[in-house]
């Protein structure tokens, strides 16, 4: 009897063990994988970082100054009701109707907006003024005198701290470069020894630390070729460290020691003054513009009516992709967050299409990326 009970309980125990084991095995093997759309999107962004999300066609433009924020631009837009250009305007998302900035009048004055979109330099016949776009306050940077004349374009440092402009004294035939520090609200004047009224200065660019200077002087009457000089400025003058003939494209500072410029032959170069190394970034470039963080570049190529985008990594431009076809850009502006691109240029029409202005028609667009 006891033997029979032992056999029965052994069979029950064995069945219980088999049931528990099979249940656990089955449970552990039930693995369900749900693909993550977010992970796929991130992976796709690594392979194709410049996927176009939306393209906005802007109202007719007279002049663009750039981005005041990541979803708002500043400029002059043509209104059909009047032909006068009286006030600066702001165009915000969804980029349909501009809004007047009532306290900032143009009066045909020259305006130059800072890269961060917070300030504007206004140049008129008597002075240079710094205008805040946040509170619309004005600060006079410099004033004209009868024996001075300002030459060339006003430029900002990429970090929006310094304003740089050239001045020549027609009385003593001496040229100076002036640098205004927007943090300390101070103006410094540096002599340009060896330069005078016979030199026609057109472009100047200051580095983020306020000590590096790029100076461009045209070498032909058409203004398509320049002599570019790179160096440092101090109370003793301008110390030239590198000089080269370049094309009409404006050189830019990547940082306080490196610059990028278009050389003769449509080649985009990068130069590092620390080791005096010159590198080729891209061939056949007609126009280029870096994002404020200097990590992205938009450009056009000769014989191509397309705009391309890429990422700068070391001495290479990676992930180069066409982002818009049919336009030859004249101006390109990256938004402060580098996610949107504003450009203005000539739209090329095919033989089957008609243009109200002939073969080309100027138009502005905004591209947003995914």
């Amino acid at each position: 009897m006891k033997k029979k009970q032992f056999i029965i309980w052994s069979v029950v125990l064995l069945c219980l063990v088999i049931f528990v084991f099979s249940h656990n095995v089955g449970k552990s093997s039930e693995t369900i994988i749900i693909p993550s759309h977010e992970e796929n999107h991130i992976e796709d962004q690594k392979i194709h970082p410049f996927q176009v999300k939306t393209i906005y066609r802007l109202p007719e433009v007279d002049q663009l100054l750039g981005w005041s924020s990541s979803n708002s631009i500043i400029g002059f837009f043509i209104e059909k009701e009047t032909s006068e250009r009286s006030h600066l305007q702001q165009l915000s998302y969804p980029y349909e109707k501009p809004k007047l900035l009532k306290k900032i009048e143009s009066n045909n004055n020259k305006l130059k907006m800072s890269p961060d979109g917070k300030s504007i330099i206004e140049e008129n016949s008597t002075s240079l003024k710094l205008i805040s776009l946040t509170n619309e306050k004005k600060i006079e940077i410099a004033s004209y005198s009868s024996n001075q004349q300002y030459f060339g374009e006003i430029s900002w440092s990429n970090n929006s701290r310094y304003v740089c402009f050239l001045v020549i004294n027609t009385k003593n035939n001496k040229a100076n470069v002036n640098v205004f520090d927007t943090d300390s609200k101070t103006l410094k004047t540096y002599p340009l020894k060896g330069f005078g009224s016979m030199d026609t200065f057109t472009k100047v660019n200051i580095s983020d630390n306020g000590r590096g200077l790029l100076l461009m002087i045209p070498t032909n009457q058409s203004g398509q070729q320049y002599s570019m000089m790179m160096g440092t400025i101090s109370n003793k003058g301008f110390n030239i460290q590198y000089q080269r003939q370049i094309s009409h494209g404006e050189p830019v500072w990547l940082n306080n020691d490196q610059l990028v410029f278009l050389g003769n032959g449509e080649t985009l170069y990068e130069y590092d003054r620390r080791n005096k190394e010159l590198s080729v970034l891209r061939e056949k470039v007609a126009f280029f513009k870096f994002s404020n963080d200097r990590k992205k570049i938009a450009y056009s190529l000769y014989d191509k009516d397309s705009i391309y985008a890429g990422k700068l990594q070391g001495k290479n431009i990676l992930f180069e992709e066409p982002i818009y076809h049919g336009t030859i850009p004249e101006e390109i502006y990256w938004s402060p967050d580098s996610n949107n691109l504003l450009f203005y240029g000539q739209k090329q029409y095919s033989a089957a299409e008609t243009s109200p202005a002939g073969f080309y028609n100027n138009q502005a667009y905004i591209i947003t990326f995914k």
Side-chain angles (χ1 to χ4, degrees):
M1 185 69 180
K2 290 182 178 179
K3 185 177 181 182
K4 186 177 181 179
Q5 287 180 340
F6 175 78
I7 294 173
I8 293 173
W9 280 110
S10 298
V11 171
V12 172
L13 182 61
L14 179 62
C15 292
L16 182 63
V17 170
I18 293 172
F19 173 79
V20 173
F21 178 78
S22 61
H23 179 72
N24 288 338
V25 170
K27 188 175 181 180
S28 63
S29 63
E30 290 179 356
T31 304
I32 300 174
I33 300 175
I34 302 175
S36 170
H37 293 291
E38 184 178 350
E39 289 179 2
N40 290 343
H41 178 62
I42 293 172
E43 186 65 29
D44 200 35
Q45 277 189 321
K46 291 179 180 179
I47 301 173
H48 302 285
F50 299 103
Q51 296 181 77
V52 175
K53 179 181 179 181
T54 310
I55 299 176
Y56 298 92
R57 180 171 177 167
L58 305 188
E60 195 172 354
V61 171
D62 183 30
Q63 181 186 0
L64 290 174
L65 298 183
W67 294 86
S68 58
S69 67
S70 293
N71 62 358
S72 182
I73 65 174
I74 301 293
F76 294 95
F77 298 87
I78 299 173
E79 298 183 28
K80 295 180 180 180
E81 297 81 20
T82 176
S83 60
E84 295 181 1
R85 191 181 89 163
S86 57
H87 293 88
L88 201 60
Q89 296 162 295
Q90 185 177 38
L91 184 66
S92 300
Y93 176 84
Y95 313 112
E96 294 174 352
K97 188 170 180 58
K99 180 183 71 173
L100 289 179
L101 298 176
K102 295 182 178 179
K103 294 185 179 180
I104 303 178
E105 299 183 6
S106 69
N107 297 324
N108 295 321
N109 297 339
K110 295 180 180 179
L111 302 174
K112 188 82 171 182
M113 192 159 74
S114 59
D116 63 9
K118 296 180 179 179
S119 304
I120 287 179
I121 293 295
E122 178 189 56
E123 178 187 7
N124 57 36
S125 59
T126 59
S127 65
L128 288 179
K129 293 180 180 178
L130 175 69
I131 304 174
S132 170
L133 283 176
T134 55
N135 56 28
E136 297 180 346
K137 289 185 178 180
K138 294 185 178 183
I139 298 174
E140 186 173 271
I141 293 177
S143 59
Y144 290 86
S145 62
S146 57
N147 62 345
Q148 287 184 337
Q149 185 176 355
Y150 288 81
F151 281 83
E153 298 178 2
I154 301 163
S155 71
W156 285 87
S157 60
N158 185 56
N159 60 1
S160 300
R161 176 174 177 176
Y162 297 101
V163 179
C164 185
F165 55 99
L166 291 157
V167 181
I168 191 164
N169 189 313
T170 56
K171 187 175 181 179
N172 57 23
N173 198 32
K174 290 184 178 180
N176 300 307
V177 57
N178 285 5
V179 179
F180 180 77
D181 187 337
T182 61
D183 284 357
S184 63
K185 302 296 187 295
T186 56
L187 180 69
K188 290 185 178 181
T189 299
Y190 302 97
L192 290 176
K193 297 178 180 179
F195 301 94
S197 61
M198 297 304 293
D199 298 301
T200 305
F201 304 107
T202 57
K203 297 180 181 180
V204 64
N205 204 318
I206 193 78
S207 62
D208 283 353
N209 61 10
R211 295 191 295 272
L213 184 70
L214 293 174
L215 183 67
M216 281 70 70
I217 298 177
T219 56
N220 59 13
Q221 293 181 349
S222 64
Q224 298 296 310
Q225 299 292 324
Y226 293 86
S227 175
M228 177 192 71
M229 287 160 278
M230 173 195 194
T232 57
I233 49 175
S234 66
N235 294 330
K236 296 181 180 180
F238 180 36
N239 178 32
I240 300 174
Q241 298 172 325
Y242 181 67
Q243 189 168 353
R244 188 182 178 94
Q245 295 295 311
I246 66 171
S247 67
H248 61 281
E250 186 172 350
V252 298
W253 293 94
L254 280 182
N255 50 53
N256 292 324
D257 295 300
Q258 294 172 283
L259 70 145
V260 173
F261 61 91
L262 274 175
N264 295 333
E266 298 84 45
T267 301
L268 190 65
Y269 291 100
E270 180 268 329
Y271 177 77
D272 192 329
R273 65 178 172 186
R274 292 168 297 189
N275 54 18
K276 299 181 180 180
E277 184 176 283
L278 183 68
S279 304
V280 175
L281 298 180
R282 190 68 167 80
E283 301 283 355
K284 298 186 180 298
V285 175
F287 184 86
F288 73 97
K289 191 65 176 284
F290 279 100
S291 57
N292 289 357
D293 60 11
R294 296 308 197 236
K295 294 180 180 180
K296 299 178 181 179
I297 182 174
Y299 60 92
S300 62
L301 300 176
Y302 274 92
D303 302 325
K304 301 285 185 181
D305 61 346
S306 298
I307 299 174
Y308 299 80
K311 282 191 174 183
L312 181 67
Q313 186 172 318
K315 310 292 184 183
N316 302 298
I317 298 176
L318 306 179
F319 309 110
E320 297 175 277
E321 294 185 40
I323 57 174
Y324 193 83
H325 299 283
T327 291
I328 302 172
E330 295 179 7
E331 299 174 11
I332 295 178
Y333 301 94
W334 286 92
S335 62
D337 61 4
S338 304
N339 290 330
N340 304 324
L341 195 70
L342 165 67
F343 64 93
Y344 172 82
Q346 296 178 331
K347 179 175 174 57
Q348 187 172 0
Y349 289 83
S350 66
E353 296 176 307
T354 59
S355 166
F359 186 63
Y360 292 107
N361 186 30
N362 289 330
Q363 181 63 51
Y365 298 89
I366 286 176
I367 291 179
T368 64
F369 299 103
K370 295 180 181 179

